[in-house]
């Protein structure tokens, strides 16, 4: 049963609950979303099910539902219900839509942007669609959409969330034997825009992801910055000023400079190392004072790096303070999402850039070949820590960190064409 005024699916309410909507005279409707609130503790699926009957209300702006405004009921089919789950990795949050068995309703770019809106939608840094694999070697494929609608090739925190979701689903008895046999051991192979990515859910609930080797060829990052050949096996460790090399150039280009007492970005240039982890990253090393200044001014300077002409597909930008040989602090401005609490691919790029520029020592071979127990580098992000290990053996980067279920819900997917 659907409410003829606001199209809310009223059949899911218990008799004791009353459906209420703001009526047909407004553009706003109340949509009730059944919510399973997630525990932030790994491995506590049973505990979080205990609160699964909690119901949350939120309002979504409905654009162009002419029938509802006119008071005529619209066919529910025209605005299908979207089932979603929300997961987060260190505060980098995603709306996951599992479309492996049913591609309907299809989420288009404009709808993804609306879903990510923190004021008018569910709110997230991105939407991740789980789709059937194209090749037989993969468990499934993901299509990732940033909050601004752009589609990145890869997302480290998102892949951890997807892996955790897949294993959560397979551990759910209602999911059936096929799911269980596929993901029961916690290891997956996922097709992404950056190739196959292999996450593994560990016994402590964290997820370790084989992120593959970094890409250092400037053309492949892609960046028009020239590569440096100072380090033999790193063709594209670039340290290049952004927009000119003089204070006048920078002032003319309105690139902000840190205050004089910040020596990390002195000489009036921002020096960066470009690294791709499937998606482009511009890594900038700064000292403690500059880090504080950058973090306070991120909304102002982040977009300037993101859209800098040296990065033809835009770029994610990480500001890194080296705190110790195994310790980095990171503030990130993400392409298509802005300031986020964490960026997995960014943390990997930061460790690669710090290693190839000699700021931290190369990491040793993994203890008994296990990238999780090796002497990984810890990257401190606003949302928490990630362990990053760049294997000297196969040159792959391994990222280990948490991923948590937040809640599940459903909402009407508004048509973009109206
Ligand atoms: N937060 C992600 C990266 C998401 C994609 C990025 N915004 C891009 O456009 O490349 C991560 O954890 O890696």
């Amino acid at each position: 049963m659907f409410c003829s005024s606001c199209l809310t699916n009223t059949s899911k309410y218990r008799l004791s609950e009353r459906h209420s909507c703001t009526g047909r005279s407004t553009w706003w409707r109340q949509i009730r979303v059944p919510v399973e609130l997630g525990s932030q503790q790994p491995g506590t699926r049973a505990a979080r099910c205990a609160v699964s009957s909690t119901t949350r209300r939120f309002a979504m702006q409905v654009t162009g539902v002419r029938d509802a405004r006119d008071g005529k009921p619209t066919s529910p089919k025209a605005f299908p219900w979207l089932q979603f789950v929300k997961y987060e990795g260190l505060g980098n949050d995603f709306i996951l839509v599992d479309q492996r068995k049913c591609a309907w309703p299809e989420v288009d770019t404009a709808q993804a942007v609306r879903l990510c809106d923190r004021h008018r939608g569910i709110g997230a840094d991105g939407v991740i669609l789980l789709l059937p694999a194209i090749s037989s070697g993969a468990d499934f494929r993901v299509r990732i959409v940033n909050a601004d609608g752009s589609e990145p090739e890869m997302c480290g925190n998102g892949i951890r969330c997807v892996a955790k979701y897949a294993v959560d689903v397979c551990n759910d008895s209602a999911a059936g034997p096929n799911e269980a046999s596929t993901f029961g051991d916690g290891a997956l192979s996922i097709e992404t825009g950056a190739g196959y990515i292999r996450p593994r859910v560990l016994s402590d609930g964290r997820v370790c992801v084989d992120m593959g080797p970094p890409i250092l060829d400037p053309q492949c990052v892609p960046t028009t910055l020239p590569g440096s050949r100072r380090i033999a096996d790193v063709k594209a460790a670039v340290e290049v000023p952004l927009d000119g090399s003089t204070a006048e150039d920078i002032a003319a280009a309105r690139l902000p400079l840190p205050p004089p007492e910040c020596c990390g970005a002195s000489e009036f240039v921002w020096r960066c190392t470009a690294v791709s982890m499937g998606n482009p990253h511009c890594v900038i090393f700064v000292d403690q004072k500059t880090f504080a200044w950058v973090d306070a001014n991120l909304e102002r300077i982040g977009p300037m790096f993101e859209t800098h002409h040296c990065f033809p597909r835009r770029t994610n930008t990480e500001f890194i303070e080296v705190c110790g040989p195994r310790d980095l602090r990171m503030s990130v401005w993400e392409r298509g999402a802005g300031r986020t609490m964490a960026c997995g691919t960014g943390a990997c790029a930061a460790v690669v850039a710090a290693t190839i520029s000699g700021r931290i020592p190369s990491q040793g071979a993994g203890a008994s070949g296990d990238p999780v127990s090796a002497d990984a580098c810890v990257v401190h992000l606003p949302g928490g820590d990630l362990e990053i290990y760049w294997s000297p053996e196969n040159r792959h980067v391994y990222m280990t960190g948490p991923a948590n279920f937040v809640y599940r819900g459903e909402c009407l997917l508004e048509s973009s064409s109206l």
Side-chain angles (χ1 to χ4, degrees):
M1 292 293 291
F2 289 80
C3 166
S4 63
S5 180
C6 74
L7 302 183
T8 294
N9 182 354
T10 54
S11 56
K12 61 179 183 264
Y13 299 135
R14 287 188 227 100
L15 285 175
S16 56
E17 287 181 301
R18 290 183 68 137
H19 163 63
S20 64
C21 69
T22 52
R24 58 189 67 155
S25 59
T26 172
W27 284 85
W28 291 85
R29 294 183 310 197
Q30 298 292 327
I31 297 174
R32 304 195 79 175
V33 180
V35 173
E36 276 183 25
L37 290 172
S39 158
Q40 298 306 300
Q41 300 307 312
T44 55
R45 190 171 170 75
R48 63 179 178 249
C49 287
V51 290
S52 63
S53 60
T54 310
T55 302
R56 195 181 84 154
R57 291 181 74 162
F58 73 93
M60 283 191 78
Q61 189 175 20
V62 178
T63 50
V65 185
R66 292 188 207 97
D67 290 356
R69 281 205 301 159
D70 297 346
K72 294 176 195 155
T74 305
S75 160
K77 279 188 184 162
F79 300 98
W81 287 87
L82 181 76
Q83 315 281 333
F84 66 87
V85 283
K86 187 150 175 207
Y87 272 70
E88 59 85 28
L90 298 177
N92 198 192
D93 57 345
F94 304 95
I95 299 161
L96 307 189
V97 183
D98 191 343
Q99 301 197 312
R100 287 173 296 158
K101 291 188 180 140
C102 175
W104 175 259
E106 203 175 310
V107 181
D108 66 28
T109 303
Q111 289 165 332
V113 171
R114 283 207 296 272
L115 293 173
C116 289
D117 190 312
R118 296 202 183 273
H119 304 289
R120 298 181 175 86
I122 297 161
D125 293 322
V127 173
I128 303 181
L129 306 177
L130 277 70
L131 303 163
I134 292 172
S135 85
S136 56
D139 292 305
F140 52 85
R141 177 165 60 96
V142 290
R143 189 181 142 217
I144 308 165
V145 186
N146 280 325
D148 76 346
S150 57
E151 294 200 23
E153 306 80 352
M154 234 310 264
C155 174
N157 289 325
I159 289 294
R160 289 203 318 281
C161 291
V162 165
K164 199 66 179 293
Y165 165 75
V167 170
D168 281 351
V169 167
C170 102
N171 287 338
D172 188 334
S173 54
N178 289 341
E179 296 280 13
S181 60
T182 310
F183 308 130
D185 61 357
L188 296 107
S189 172
I190 302 175
E191 280 175 8
T192 72
Y196 296 110
I197 297 293
R198 295 189 169 81
R200 184 161 52 95
V201 179
L202 308 176
S203 54
D204 64 4
R206 292 185 306 159
V207 184
C208 176
V209 187
D210 178 350
M211 303 282 283
I215 297 163
L216 299 163
D217 178 340
Q219 286 185 333
C220 299
V221 170
T223 177
T224 56
L225 296 170
S228 157
R229 295 186 182 271
R230 283 183 304 131
I231 305 167
D233 67 337
V234 180
K235 295 199 191 83
V238 288
E239 292 207 351
V240 176
L242 292 165
D243 264 353
S245 55
T246 68
E248 289 74 22
D249 287 343
I250 291 166
R254 294 183 184 279
L255 272 177
L257 289 170
E261 66 269 23
C262 297
C263 53
S266 62
E267 302 158 20
F268 307 106
V269 294
W270 293 92
R271 298 183 185 281
C272 73
T273 303
V275 176
S276 166
M277 291 304 305
N279 55 348
H281 292 271
C282 168
V283 183
I284 298 173
F285 292 94
V286 291
D287 67 6
Q288 195 181 13
K289 272 186 185 162
T290 312
F291 186 93
W293 182 86
V294 159
D295 197 47
N297 289 275
L298 197 59
E299 275 71 19
R300 192 156 66 92
I301 64 171
M304 297 182 184
F305 287 95
E306 179 182 354
T307 57
H308 194 274
H309 64 80
C310 286
F311 293 93
R313 284 197 218 147
R314 299 193 285 157
T315 188
N316 300 284
T317 307
E318 289 81 26
F319 296 92
I320 304 295
E321 178 193 346
V322 179
C323 304
R326 290 275 169 272
D327 255 341
L328 303 181
R329 192 151 75 110
M330 172 169 144
S331 178
V332 58
W333 181 265
E334 278 194 37
R335 177 180 67 167
R339 185 197 284 270
T340 59
M341 292 183 74
C343 178
T345 47
C348 296
V351 169
V352 169
T355 308
I356 60 181
S357 63
R359 288 177 169 92
I360 60 171
S362 300
Q363 292 165 56
S368 60
D370 183 354
V372 183
S373 62
D375 61 341
C377 191
V378 178
V379 181
H380 308 285
L381 300 128
D385 293 350
L386 276 176
E387 282 179 29
I388 309 294
Y389 174 66
W390 189 16
S391 167
E393 285 149 355
N394 62 7
R395 310 300 285 169
H396 286 208
V397 183
Y398 295 84
M399 171 194 65
T400 305
N404 295 304
F405 169 84
V406 184
Y407 62 83
R408 75 172 65 245
E410 60 180 356
C411 64
L412 278 180
L413 197 60
E414 305 152 27
S415 167
S416 298
S417 54
L418 289 176

